[in-house]
């Protein structure tokens, strides 16, 4: 990907060249926990490039912890430990030489609730760009506009780019955070229940956005909303008690799951 | 309810207190409403009355000196109590010793300079310490550091003064000042750091002792503010690939900025008014503005305490009146600092924080 003009990137031009195997990220024998508690047990899982993978499962099933292991956000949690590997483009993100900051530039994240930084709207979009020194000052305006247009926020905020993001609605704030995450040009985007605090209309907008981003971007989304998993994802993984029960095409998982636990969960017999 | 037979006992009232409260509700008895209102109004009136009384008495005392010293008081440097043995004379209706003349410039400069040094040193140290305690140190260690801050805050200023005069001042004069003074280039502004390094009692020592005294105030407040920064924006910044330092600089500190400035102003106010410690380490030189960082000087507060005894020996009362004028001046400086701080806080808090707003 070209670093010189990130503003030129659009939804239609894929950022990442497929290296052939179609796998963007892969967990191999991943076990992870905090202190004496094991949260994930011996997980093997592939995230296909350019697709949307939904992670579903009851509360406490380990899906968010797994999501956070993909950009090593668990590292800061007290007494964190892990075994096994997580591969990004075939190389282990947990190996000693890995630069956390560089990793997180390639694997972006959107959180459960909007979390704008205490700076102007434009500065929020540019936060990652500046932190990584991605583009020169002369590109800032173009980047801000391109990313805000990409998430459909430009019309609403173009007249107040210099003002506080905290005056925006919750949905607009979340879109701003998405624009901010996209501005660093990630290959993989992790979403932790990104619409759980949003109204239905904004949720629909975000879902459409994710579908349009997907060919260029690999997306992993944790959701409690089964209908959302069905609507947006190509593949769905069902987590239960720290194990991966089933990962397959979304249609298949919802209509003819292989495992009885999956069937119980997606049919609503088990929550 | 009426009793019909002897063995029927009225049921015990289950909620007597509630009933009593309900019964008295709406009543405007003296004890229930008027007395509490009177007491609280009086209590609210006391601080206001005290402030007015203090400023009023000071102004009353200082008024004749104000007239005689004139506006030039602010930029004159003299400190001449006048001839106590000659007959006092009267100028413009104000009785004063022959040749008496006072100027405020050296003391105002000493007060502001030592306080600015104190804040300039204390704020970075405090904010750094607070960041370390909140973001880096394990909980046990951070509560130990917190304990030290509280102990430091509780030490009487005279102890700081003694430490400054006996240990810290000589250390500065012997080991720090010669090195700094010897390596500073002789250019404007920086040449303030050059020259005679004195003997350890002076501007630099005063500023640093004051810094140590206001660090606990600023650090403890900054620590509490940084603890209140929500987790989610910090995580967002980490997830964007920022380093811990960038997260602190871009998210945590801006989040707490207005409060930290407020705390720094509290520290500045404390430094401006601090008396005893400065009186002990300033060198107590009157009538000259220090020409470099190390020379002896004095501040308004320290001078008032050190000169009051002597001023009472001036039979005309003029010296005491001048000290009252100094006290008024200090009050005005502190007031102006506070106003400036409020304006500053309002301006830097421009990026409104999500206080009282849903996401």
């Amino acid at each position: 990907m070209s670093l010189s003009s990130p503003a030129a990137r659009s939804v239609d031009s894929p950022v990442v060249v497929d290296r052939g195997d179609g796998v963007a990220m892969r967990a191999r024998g991943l076990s992870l926990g905090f202190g004496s508690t094991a949260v994930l047990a011996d997980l093997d899982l592939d995230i296909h490039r350019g697709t949307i993978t939904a992670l579903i499962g009851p509360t406490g099933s380990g899906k968010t912890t797994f999501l956070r292991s993909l950009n090593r956000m668990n590292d800061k949690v007290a007494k964190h430990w892990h075994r096994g590997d997580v591969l990004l483009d075939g190389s282990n993100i947990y190996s000693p030489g890995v630069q956390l900051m560089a990793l997180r530039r390639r694997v972006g994240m959107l959180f459960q609730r909007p979390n704008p930084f205490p700076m102007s709207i434009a500065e929020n979009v540019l936060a990652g760009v500046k932190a990584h020194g991605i583009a020169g000052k002369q590109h800032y305006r173009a980047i801000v506009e391109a990313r805000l247009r990409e998430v459909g926020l430009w019309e609403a905020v173009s007249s107040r780019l210099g003002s506080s993001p905290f005056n925006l609605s919750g949905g607009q704030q979340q879109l701003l955070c998405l624009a901010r995450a996209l501005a660093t040009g990630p290959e993989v985007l992790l979403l932790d229940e990104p619409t759980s605090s949003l109204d239905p209309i904004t949720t629909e907008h975000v879902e459409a956005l994710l579908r349009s981003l997907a060919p260029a971007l690999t997306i992993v989304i944790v959701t409690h909303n089964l209908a959302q998993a069905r609507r947006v994802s190509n593949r769905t993984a069902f987590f239960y008690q720290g194990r991966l029960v089933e990962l397959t095409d979304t249609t298949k998982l919802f209509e003819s799951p292989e495992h009885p636990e999956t069937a119980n969960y997606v049919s609503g017999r088990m929550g | 309810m009426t009793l019909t037979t002897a063995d029927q006992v009225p049921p015990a009232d289950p909620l007597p207190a509630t009933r009593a409260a309900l019964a008295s509700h709406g009543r405007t008895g003296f004890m229930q409403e008027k007395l509490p209102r009177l007491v609280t109004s009086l209590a609210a009136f006391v601080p206001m009355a005290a402030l007015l009384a203090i400023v009023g008495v000071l102004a009353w005392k200082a008024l004749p000196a104000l007239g005689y010293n004139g506006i030039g008081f602010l930029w004159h440097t003299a400190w001449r109590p006048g001839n106590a043995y000659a007959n006092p004379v009267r100028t413009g209706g104000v009785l004063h010793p022959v040749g008496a003349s006072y100027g405020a410039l050296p003391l105002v400069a000493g007060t502001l300079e030592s306080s600015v040094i104190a804040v300039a040193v204390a704020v970075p140290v405090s904010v750094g310490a607070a960041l370390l305690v909140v973001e880096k140190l394990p909980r046990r260690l951070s509560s130990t550091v917190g304990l030290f801050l509280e102990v430091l805050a509780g030490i009487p200023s005279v102890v700081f003064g003694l430490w400054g005069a006996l240990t810290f001042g000589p250390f500065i004069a012997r080991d720090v000042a010669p090195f700094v003074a010897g390596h500073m280039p002789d250019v404007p502004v920086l040449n303030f750091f050059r020259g005679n390094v004195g003997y350890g009692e002076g501007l630099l020592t005063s500023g640093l002792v004051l810094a140590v005294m206001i660090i606990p105030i600023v650090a403890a407040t900054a620590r509490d503010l940084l603890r209140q920064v929500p987790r989610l924006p910090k995580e967002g910044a980490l997830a964007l690939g920022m380093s811990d330092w960038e997260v602190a600089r871009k998210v945590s500190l801006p989040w707490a900025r207005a409060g930290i400035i407020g705390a720094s102003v509290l520290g500045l106010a404390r430094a401006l008014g601090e008396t005893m410690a400065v009186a002990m380490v300033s060198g107590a030189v009157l009538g000259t503005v220090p020409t470099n960082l190390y020379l002896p000087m004095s501040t308004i507060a320290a001078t008032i305490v050190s000169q009051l005894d002597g001023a009472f020996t001036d039979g005309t009362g003029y010296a005491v009146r001048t000290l009252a004028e100094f006290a008024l001046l200090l009050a005005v400086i502190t007031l102006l600092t506070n106003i400036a701080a409020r304006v500053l806080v309002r301006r830097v808090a421009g990026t409104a924080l999500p206080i009282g707003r849903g996401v």
Side-chain angles (χ1 to χ4, degrees), chain A:
Chain A
M1 123 189 186
S2 160
L3 294 187
S4 54
S5 58
R9 182 170 82 79
S10 81
V11 198
D12 314 309
S13 59
V15 220
V16 179
V17 182
D18 192 348
R19 298 198 175 171
D21 61 354
V23 174
M25 295 196 83
R26 167 177 285 167
R28 271 195 323 216
L30 179 68
S31 299
L32 193 150
F34 309 101
S36 55
T37 323
V39 182
L40 300 175
D42 201 21
L43 222 67
D44 285 288
L45 188 157
D46 287 354
I47 308 287
H48 290 183
R49 195 183 306 284
T51 66
I52 302 183
T53 307
L55 311 180
I56 62 169
T59 305
S61 58
K63 55 194 189 306
T64 296
T65 304
F66 174 69
L67 188 81
R68 291 165 64 91
S69 74
L70 298 178
N71 64 346
R72 295 186 53 178
M73 286 298 284
N74 292 318
D75 286 24
K76 279 225 166 213
V77 181
K79 297 178 184 169
H80 158 265
W81 57 266
H82 87 282
R83 276 195 307 275
D85 300 335
V86 175
L87 308 180
L88 172 64
D89 265 347
S91 54
N92 187 7
I93 64 169
Y94 280 97
S95 34
V98 166
Q99 295 283 321
L100 266 186
M101 291 173 243
L103 166 70
R104 288 170 181 163
R105 180 181 162 190
R106 295 176 63 191
V107 184
M109 193 169 199
L110 191 64
F111 292 78
Q112 212 167 4
R113 278 179 294 128
N115 54 355
F117 302 151
M119 48 181 86
S120 74
I121 291 172
E123 289 293 323
N124 261 280
V125 178
L126 293 170
V129 177
K130 286 185 175 175
H132 296 286
I134 291 174
K137 270 198 177 72
Q138 71 275 18
H139 295 298
Y140 286 172
R141 263 200 67 84
I143 293 174
V144 170
E145 179 170 350
R147 296 289 83 84
L148 288 174
R149 278 193 191 284
E150 191 169 9
V151 300
L153 200 55
W154 177 252
E155 267 69 39
V157 302
S158 59
S159 63
R160 45 173 168 159
L161 292 174
S163 61
S164 164
F166 298 110
N167 294 323
L168 302 174
S169 73
Q172 289 174 327
Q173 289 186 27
Q174 189 68 318
L175 290 174
L176 176 64
C177 295
L178 180 58
R180 183 177 72 193
L182 292 174
T184 56
E187 300 158 37
V188 181
L189 187 62
L190 311 176
L191 307 156
D192 183 8
E193 297 183 52
T195 62
S196 64
S197 68
L198 305 185
D199 65 274
I201 292 171
T202 317
T203 300
E204 210 179 293
H205 174 66
V206 170
E207 287 177 6
L209 202 58
L210 295 181
R211 280 193 297 266
S212 72
L213 289 168
L217 200 62
T218 305
I219 294 176
V220 186
I221 176 171
V222 165
T223 178
H224 274 291
N225 181 342
L226 296 183
Q228 180 171 61
R230 275 184 98 145
R231 284 194 299 266
V232 299
S233 71
N234 308 100
R235 305 207 313 152
T236 300
F238 173 59
F239 280 69
Y240 189 56
Q241 294 183 341
R243 290 174 300 112
L244 172 67
V245 177
E246 196 167 348
L247 166 59
T248 182
D249 287 345
T250 299
T251 322
K252 180 170 184 306
L253 187 121
F254 279 97
E255 277 159 21
S256 52
E258 273 178 27
H259 293 265
E261 284 161 336
T262 316
N264 282 342
Y265 185 72
V266 299
S267 64
R269 282 196 293 277
M270 175 184 83

Side-chain angles (χ1 to χ4, degrees), chain B residues 18-355:
Chain B
T18 314
R19 258 172 230 283
L22 282 173
S24 72
H25 182 77
R27 225 165 10 137
T28 51
F30 178 78
M31 293 302 282
Q32 280 83 10
E33 296 237 338
K34 291 196 176 134
L35 187 64
R37 195 185 301 160
L38 194 69
V39 171
T40 48
S41 315
L42 274 177
F45 181 70
V46 166
M48 208 166 61
L51 181 66
L52 287 178
I54 290 169
V55 174
V57 166
L58 270 183
W60 178 251
K61 275 274 169 196
L63 205 58
L66 231 61
Y68 174 64
N69 291 330
I71 189 75
F73 179 67
L74 291 178
W75 58 82
H76 289 157
T77 59
W79 190 277
R80 286 198 295 274
N83 188 347
Y85 303 104
N87 282 330
V89 291
R90 202 174 277 277
T91 311
V94 181
L95 197 64
H96 62 89
V98 173
S101 168
Y102 295 95
L105 186 64
L107 296 184
V108 172
T111 303
L112 293 179
E113 284 170 352
S114 59
S115 300
V116 166
I117 292 172
V119 170
V121 172
V123 169
V125 170
S126 304
V127 171
L131 270 176
L132 194 72
V133 164
V134 174
E135 305 287 353
K136 286 286 180 192
L137 293 186
R139 187 160 280 279
R140 276 234 319 273
L141 211 55
S142 76
S143 58
T144 312
V145 175
L147 187 71
F148 272 101
L149 284 180
E150 273 143 40
V151 172
L152 199 60
I155 292 179
S157 59
V158 67
V159 177
F160 281 107
L162 203 59
W163 166 73
L166 296 182
T167 312
F168 190 59
F171 164 74
I172 295 280
R174 193 181 60 236
D175 297 321
V176 180
F179 180 81
V180 178
H183 287 81
M184 276 294 162
D186 192 5
V187 295
V189 181
L190 284 186
N191 57 18
F192 192 64
F193 294 78
R194 289 169 57 89
N196 178 7
V197 297
Y199 52 94
E201 292 192 355
L203 182 54
L204 181 63
T205 310
S206 303
L208 293 179
V209 167
L210 284 173
V212 176
M213 294 176 73
I214 64 178
I215 280 173
I217 305 175
V218 185
T221 316
R223 178 194 57 181
D224 294 346
L225 290 163
L226 288 172
R227 279 212 177 116
Q228 285 167 20
V229 177
R231 190 178 52 88
L232 215 52
K234 289 196 279 186
E235 279 210 317
L238 282 176
L240 210 54
M242 291 192 192
S243 64
D244 288 349
W245 163 238
E246 284 170 317
V247 175
R249 203 160 49 91
K250 300 272 187 178
V251 178
S252 303
L253 288 178
W255 210 282
R257 181 168 48 198
I260 290 174
I261 290 175
S264 309
V265 171
L266 271 184
L268 178 62
R270 168 99 202 260
L272 287 170
E274 172 52 42
T275 307
M276 193 40 75
V278 179
M280 294 165 81
V281 298
S282 66
V285 160
L286 298 168
T288 59
V289 180
T291 52
N292 76 26
L293 189 60
Y294 317 101
L295 291 180
M297 38 63 81
S298 192
T299 66
I300 297 176
T303 302
I304 291 174
V305 75
S306 67
Q307 297 299 312
L308 187 60
D309 257 3
F312 276 125
T313 63
D314 178 351
T316 66
Y318 171 69
V320 173
R321 290 181 193 285
T322 300
L323 288 185
E325 186 178 355
F326 271 113
L328 263 186
L329 188 60
L330 182 59
V332 168
I333 290 174
T334 313
L335 185 70
L336 289 180
T337 319
N338 264 302
I339 292 171
R342 272 163 203 272
V343 172
L344 190 65
V345 166
R346 202 166 301 155
R347 278 186 51 177
V348 297
T351 310
L353 288 177
I355 293 159

